[in-house]
Amino acid sequence: MTQAHPIAELWRGGQVESIHAGHAVICDGAGQVVETWGDPSAVIFPRSSCKMVQALPLIESGAAAAAGLSDRQLALACASHQGAAIHTGMVTTWLADLGLRDDDLRCGAHMPNDTGARDALICSHTAPCQMHNNCSGKHSGFLTLNRHLKAGPDYVEIDHPVQRAVKAAFEEVTGETSQGYGIDGCSAPNFTTTVTGLARAMAAFAAASEGDARGRAMVRLRTAMASHPELVAGEGRACTELMRAMGGRVAIKTGAEGVFVAILPEQRLGMAVKIADGTPRAAELAIAALLVRAGVLERDHPATRKRLDAVQTNWRGFETGALKAAPGFPG
Amino acid sequence: MTQAHPIAELWRGGQVESIHAGHAVICDGAGQVVETWGDPSAVIFPRSSCKMVQALPLIESGAAAAAGLSDRQLALACASHQGAAIHTGMVTTWLADLGLRDDDLRCGAHMPNDTGARDALICSHTAPCQMHNNCSGKHSGFLTLNRHLKAGPDYVEIDHPVQRAVKAAFEEVTGETSQGYGIDGCSAPNFTTTVTGLARAMAAFAAASEGDARGRAMVRLRTAMASHPELVAGEGRACTELMRAMGGRVAIKTGAEGVFVAILPEQRLGMAVKIADGTPRAAELAIAALLVRAGVLERDHPATRKRLDAVQTNWRGFETGALKAAPGFPG
């Protein structure tokens, strides 16, 4: 197997302190590999980076139209959100529209990452609910599809019609038979693919046109994401800040354990990155570097500089080093 | 240069999701290398793992005795603490005893990692002070030495007598001339060494006897750390839980960016681990595995199992995978 390629280096005091390696693939609209770093055939869990794929059956089944879902709701279905009021408020309404409640979710509860929402819960001695889970938008989408399919309540089971539909869509857009699956943090199955398969899926989203049902679903999802960056993650987060910096031209999405993907419709390109050690700072650097190189992200934009050549400061605000692209990787 | 050695693997759904590689060295009491993984000559920043070395001049100068420092204070001088009441209370008293206050510290302020202390600050709308900084015990030690040396207030400057004394001790116990330094999160200089140099320093602590001033300082510091695990880190943390599990026989210390060290007096061994990508979960696994192998830590102790073969669960408490030692590394 090809080695992981050096991607990011943390510098301190004029020398490298830590290093991250990984795999990256760029595919074109025909599903052909354009460029690779590391091992393009490395089998990975896309984790939350494939939420737009998991949302395809929601639209293609007619469930989204039947429920009258807005583009904002579809963006939230593709989100790993912060649990800020803007996110949990939408989930609350969405569930109510379905005649459902928090207990019908199967994602589990965790403290929101949004500082204001978290502090409000702490100071009112209130436990977080499942709506605060960063995946609650995706799960609201699953519940919407589930109502349409009239299937049972345990929609995250591997053999449930919702997950069977997700798996079928996933294998079609990656162009691969998935070798297996794991259980994600939100209890949903997460199917494996190669880095190339994930990049190919993103390229399919990038090259999609409205000529058929899948193309229409892909265009709608990528547009919803790129048009509502604040819903896809939250303030301060890479997905939100970088999509804003690109002005709606590109959709990007992070996944746990160092995954990042990008959909570039104008260039008809799809990108996928997996950091072998799972570290987000390196995945953010990698996707920013590839987006700069593709000409869709400004090198000197503050959102870029926060991830690429990111200055590291200490508790007194002194510069201690920087996170830089590794030799041989764009940046 | 030798490659980093695979150390830890994160498993999900029956396959490896992420992998960590690094360097580890075990030295004996004579300073000889006993065993290595990866590159023993890799130059690293020990970060907080060398706080017991940084505390040597505090004792050897006579400053600790002049100030009447207790073993508990010396343990706190070697700590990366949680900022719990037990820690900040001691720093408050320590500074008062010196006739100093929070403003005299140079470590900077950050939110404490102790949940109770953090929540109390948040809900009372109170900003953290420098005493909450995880390094405030080390800095109280620096201030104690500084008063003894009658030097200027900016004790973290590279050419300040406090840091010159630290550098001299560091080079003596590592047996190497440091190739450089970086500025740590707490603004103090952090001198580079090889992984072997760091392991050799820990072996010197392990083999120390009370026959000379350095030996007495080393015995006192390692004993203070091993006897007060709750002060060296805090509840839930690896240093505290693993030292408790070893019942005072071994002193261990973590450092940022994937460093971990251990001092084994009975075996007269020193250990040093650096994870190349800087990830704490892998450093904790590595040191736990090496301590089990050395016969000082029980394989089935809950504190061990939390780091070695650590079961990963999701937000509903379902098992999703495990963090395991990589092939070829003990575990």
Side-chain angles (χ1 to χ4, degrees), chain B residues 53-79:
Chain B
V53 178
Q54 293 174 302
L56 285 173
L58 171 64
I59 299 182
E60 293 171 3
S61 66
L69 295 192
S70 66
D71 282 355
R72 296 182 76 240
Q73 283 172 294
L74 292 175
L76 197 64
C78 301

mmCIF file of all heavy atoms in Angstrom, chain B residues 53-79:
data_model
loop_
_atom_site.group_PDB
_atom_site.id
_atom_site.type_symbol
_atom_site.label_atom_id
_atom_site.label_comp_id
_atom_site.label_asym_id
_atom_site.label_seq_id
_atom_site.Cartn_x
_atom_site.Cartn_y
_atom_site.Cartn_z
ATOM 1 N N VAL B 53 12.277 18.496 35.489
ATOM 2 C CA VAL B 53 13.622 18.986 35.192
ATOM 3 C C VAL B 53 13.681 20.501 35.424
ATOM 4 O O VAL B 53 14.637 21.020 36.021
ATOM 5 C CB VAL B 53 14.013 18.653 33.732
ATOM 6 C CG1 VAL B 53 15.398 19.207 33.415
ATOM 7 C CG2 VAL B 53 13.950 17.151 33.478
ATOM 8 N N GLN B 54 12.626 21.176 35.000
ATOM 9 C CA GLN B 54 12.570 22.631 35.192
ATOM 10 C C GLN B 54 12.521 23.006 36.679
ATOM 11 O O GLN B 54 12.815 24.139 37.042
ATOM 12 C CB GLN B 54 11.350 23.201 34.448
ATOM 13 C CG GLN B 54 11.466 23.087 32.923
ATOM 14 C CD GLN B 54 10.191 23.511 32.198
ATOM 15 O OE1 GLN B 54 9.125 22.960 32.430
ATOM 16 N NE2 GLN B 54 10.300 24.512 31.333
ATOM 17 N N ALA B 55 12.129 22.040 37.515
ATOM 18 C CA ALA B 55 12.042 22.309 38.953
ATOM 19 C C ALA B 55 13.350 22.008 39.687
ATOM 20 O O ALA B 55 13.476 22.329 40.877
ATOM 21 C CB ALA B 55 10.903 21.491 39.564
ATOM 22 N N LEU B 56 14.330 21.414 39.023
ATOM 23 C CA LEU B 56 15.592 21.073 39.710
ATOM 24 C C LEU B 56 16.291 22.297 40.312
ATOM 25 O O LEU B 56 16.701 22.258 41.488
ATOM 26 C CB LEU B 56 16.538 20.327 38.754
ATOM 27 C CG LEU B 56 16.188 18.854 38.471
ATOM 28 C CD1 LEU B 56 17.088 18.294 37.375
ATOM 29 C CD2 LEU B 56 16.304 18.014 39.750
ATOM 30 N N PRO B 57 16.432 23.401 39.549
ATOM 31 C CA PRO B 57 17.127 24.562 40.142
ATOM 32 C C PRO B 57 16.393 25.139 41.351
ATOM 33 O O PRO B 57 17.036 25.723 42.232
ATOM 34 C CB PRO B 57 17.161 25.579 38.982
ATOM 35 C CG PRO B 57 17.010 24.766 37.741
ATOM 36 C CD PRO B 57 16.124 23.619 38.117
ATOM 37 N N LEU B 58 15.086 24.982 41.372
ATOM 38 C CA LEU B 58 14.296 25.461 42.513
ATOM 39 C C LEU B 58 14.795 24.822 43.809
ATOM 40 O O LEU B 58 14.934 25.491 44.842
ATOM 41 C CB LEU B 58 12.818 25.121 42.264
ATOM 42 C CG LEU B 58 11.818 25.325 43.391
ATOM 43 C CD1 LEU B 58 11.710 26.807 43.757
ATOM 44 C CD2 LEU B 58 10.435 24.786 42.984
ATOM 45 N N ILE B 59 15.094 23.517 43.743
ATOM 46 C CA ILE B 59 15.571 22.814 44.944
ATOM 47 C C ILE B 59 17.078 22.988 45.122
ATOM 48 O O ILE B 59 17.559 23.323 46.210
ATOM 49 C CB ILE B 59 15.215 21.310 44.857
ATOM 50 C CG1 ILE B 59 13.689 21.141 44.787
ATOM 51 C CG2 ILE B 59 15.798 20.554 46.050
ATOM 52 C CD1 ILE B 59 13.222 19.700 44.741
ATOM 53 N N GLU B 60 17.823 22.776 44.029
ATOM 54 C CA GLU B 60 19.285 22.776 44.126
ATOM 55 C C GLU B 60 19.865 24.131 44.543
ATOM 56 O O GLU B 60 20.942 24.208 45.141
ATOM 57 C CB GLU B 60 19.901 22.335 42.791
ATOM 58 C CG GLU B 60 19.596 20.867 42.467
ATOM 59 C CD GLU B 60 20.012 20.458 41.066
ATOM 60 O OE1 GLU B 60 20.594 21.293 40.341
ATOM 61 O OE2 GLU B 60 19.748 19.295 40.698
ATOM 62 N N SER B 61 19.142 25.193 44.234
ATOM 63 C CA SER B 61 19.608 26.546 44.600
ATOM 64 C C SER B 61 19.413 26.838 46.079
ATOM 65 O O SER B 61 19.941 27.820 46.602
ATOM 66 C CB SER B 61 18.816 27.577 43.798
ATOM 67 O OG SER B 61 17.443 27.539 44.209
ATOM 68 N N GLY B 62 18.606 26.020 46.725
ATOM 69 C CA GLY B 62 18.257 26.306 48.114
ATOM 70 C C GLY B 62 16.991 27.136 48.251
ATOM 71 O O GLY B 62 16.517 27.406 49.363
ATOM 72 N N ALA B 63 16.406 27.533 47.094
ATOM 73 C CA ALA B 63 15.219 28.394 47.127
ATOM 74 C C ALA B 63 14.029 27.685 47.758
ATOM 75 O O ALA B 63 13.270 28.287 48.536
ATOM 76 C CB ALA B 63 14.868 28.855 45.709
ATOM 77 N N ALA B 64 13.850 26.406 47.427
ATOM 78 C CA ALA B 64 12.705 25.663 47.961
ATOM 79 C C ALA B 64 12.805 25.538 49.477
ATOM 80 O O ALA B 64 11.806 25.727 50.196
ATOM 81 C CB ALA B 64 12.632 24.274 47.314
ATOM 82 N N ALA B 65 14.008 25.248 49.953
ATOM 83 C CA ALA B 65 14.200 25.127 51.403
ATOM 84 C C ALA B 65 13.997 26.475 52.090
ATOM 85 O O ALA B 65 13.346 26.563 53.142
ATOM 86 C CB ALA B 65 15.601 24.580 51.691
ATOM 87 N N ALA B 66 14.533 27.536 51.473
ATOM 88 C CA ALA B 66 14.398 28.872 52.062
ATOM 89 C C ALA B 66 12.931 29.284 52.170
ATOM 90 O O ALA B 66 12.528 29.941 53.134
ATOM 91 C CB ALA B 66 15.166 29.896 51.223
ATOM 92 N N ALA B 67 12.143 28.867 51.177
ATOM 93 C CA ALA B 67 10.718 29.214 51.180
ATOM 94 C C ALA B 67 9.891 28.181 51.937
ATOM 95 O O ALA B 67 8.683 28.357 52.102
ATOM 96 C CB ALA B 67 10.208 29.335 49.740
ATOM 97 N N GLY B 68 10.539 27.126 52.390
ATOM 98 C CA GLY B 68 9.827 26.088 53.141
ATOM 99 C C GLY B 68 8.783 25.357 52.319
ATOM 100 O O GLY B 68 7.710 25.007 52.823
ATOM 101 N N LEU B 69 9.092 25.118 51.038
ATOM 102 C CA LEU B 69 8.110 24.452 50.172
ATOM 103 C C LEU B 69 7.845 23.020 50.634
ATOM 104 O O LEU B 69 8.766 22.286 50.990
ATOM 105 C CB LEU B 69 8.597 24.424 48.714
ATOM 106 C CG LEU B 69 8.755 25.755 47.993
ATOM 107 C CD1 LEU B 69 8.955 25.514 46.493
ATOM 108 C CD2 LEU B 69 7.550 26.686 48.212
ATOM 109 N N SER B 70 6.575 22.650 50.584
ATOM 110 C CA SER B 70 6.162 21.295 50.945
ATOM 111 C C SER B 70 6.272 20.376 49.733
ATOM 112 O O SER B 70 6.409 20.835 48.589
ATOM 113 C CB SER B 70 4.707 21.316 51.417
ATOM 114 O OG SER B 70 3.862 21.680 50.326
ATOM 115 N N ASP B 71 6.188 19.065 49.992
ATOM 116 C CA ASP B 71 6.155 18.121 48.876
ATOM 117 C C ASP B 71 4.947 18.380 47.977
ATOM 118 O O ASP B 71 5.022 18.184 46.755
ATOM 119 C CB ASP B 71 6.104 16.680 49.401
ATOM 120 C CG ASP B 71 7.483 16.210 49.866
ATOM 121 O OD1 ASP B 71 8.470 16.966 49.687
ATOM 122 O OD2 ASP B 71 7.571 15.099 50.409
ATOM 123 N N ARG B 72 3.850 18.790 48.569
ATOM 124 C CA ARG B 72 2.663 19.085 47.753
ATOM 125 C C ARG B 72 2.939 20.254 46.804
ATOM 126 O O ARG B 72 2.536 20.216 45.638
ATOM 127 C CB ARG B 72 1.451 19.379 48.633
ATOM 128 C CG ARG B 72 1.014 18.176 49.485
ATOM 129 C CD ARG B 72 -0.223 18.489 50.319
ATOM 130 N NE ARG B 72 -1.442 18.497 49.521
ATOM 131 C CZ ARG B 72 -2.246 19.545 49.378
ATOM 132 N NH1 ARG B 72 -1.973 20.680 49.987
ATOM 133 N NH2 ARG B 72 -3.324 19.455 48.634
ATOM 134 N N GLN B 73 3.643 21.269 47.299
ATOM 135 C CA GLN B 73 3.973 22.389 46.408
ATOM 136 C C GLN B 73 4.921 21.935 45.299
ATOM 137 O O GLN B 73 4.799 22.367 44.155
ATOM 138 C CB GLN B 73 4.592 23.540 47.214
ATOM 139 C CG GLN B 73 3.546 24.332 48.000
ATOM 140 C CD GLN B 73 4.169 25.338 48.952
ATOM 141 O OE1 GLN B 73 4.824 24.943 49.914
ATOM 142 N NE2 GLN B 73 3.966 26.612 48.682
ATOM 143 N N LEU B 74 5.854 21.062 45.630
ATOM 144 C CA LEU B 74 6.780 20.575 44.598
ATOM 145 C C LEU B 74 6.039 19.729 43.554
ATOM 146 O O LEU B 74 6.349 19.799 42.362
ATOM 147 C CB LEU B 74 7.917 19.782 45.240
ATOM 148 C CG LEU B 74 8.876 20.640 46.081
ATOM 149 C CD1 LEU B 74 9.904 19.760 46.774
ATOM 150 C CD2 LEU B 74 9.561 21.709 45.217
ATOM 151 N N ALA B 75 5.050 18.948 43.999
ATOM 152 C CA ALA B 75 4.241 18.195 43.033
ATOM 153 C C ALA B 75 3.514 19.158 42.101
ATOM 154 O O ALA B 75 3.446 18.949 40.883
ATOM 155 C CB ALA B 75 3.241 17.292 43.764
ATOM 156 N N LEU B 76 2.994 20.242 42.681
ATOM 157 C CA LEU B 76 2.271 21.232 41.864
ATOM 158 C C LEU B 76 3.221 21.962 40.913
ATOM 159 O O LEU B 76 2.824 22.359 39.813
ATOM 160 C CB LEU B 76 1.552 22.230 42.782
ATOM 161 C CG LEU B 76 0.433 23.063 42.135
ATOM 162 C CD1 LEU B 76 -0.723 22.177 41.678
ATOM 163 C CD2 LEU B 76 -0.079 24.128 43.109
ATOM 164 N N ALA B 77 4.482 22.120 41.324
ATOM 165 C CA ALA B 77 5.476 22.753 40.439
ATOM 166 C C ALA B 77 5.744 21.883 39.208
ATOM 167 O O ALA B 77 6.155 22.386 38.165
ATOM 168 C CB ALA B 77 6.776 23.004 41.196
ATOM 169 N N CYS B 78 5.511 20.583 39.341
ATOM 170 C CA CYS B 78 5.729 19.648 38.226
ATOM 171 C C CYS B 78 4.436 19.347 37.472
ATOM 172 O O CYS B 78 4.412 18.464 36.604
ATOM 173 C CB CYS B 78 6.304 18.332 38.748
ATOM 174 S SG CYS B 78 7.865 18.520 39.616
ATOM 175 N N ALA B 79 3.369 20.055 37.780
ATOM 176 C CA ALA B 79 2.030 19.706 37.286
ATOM 177 C C ALA B 79 1.622 20.425 36.014
ATOM 178 O O ALA B 79 2.086 21.529 35.729
ATOM 179 C CB ALA B 79 0.999 20.016 38.370
#
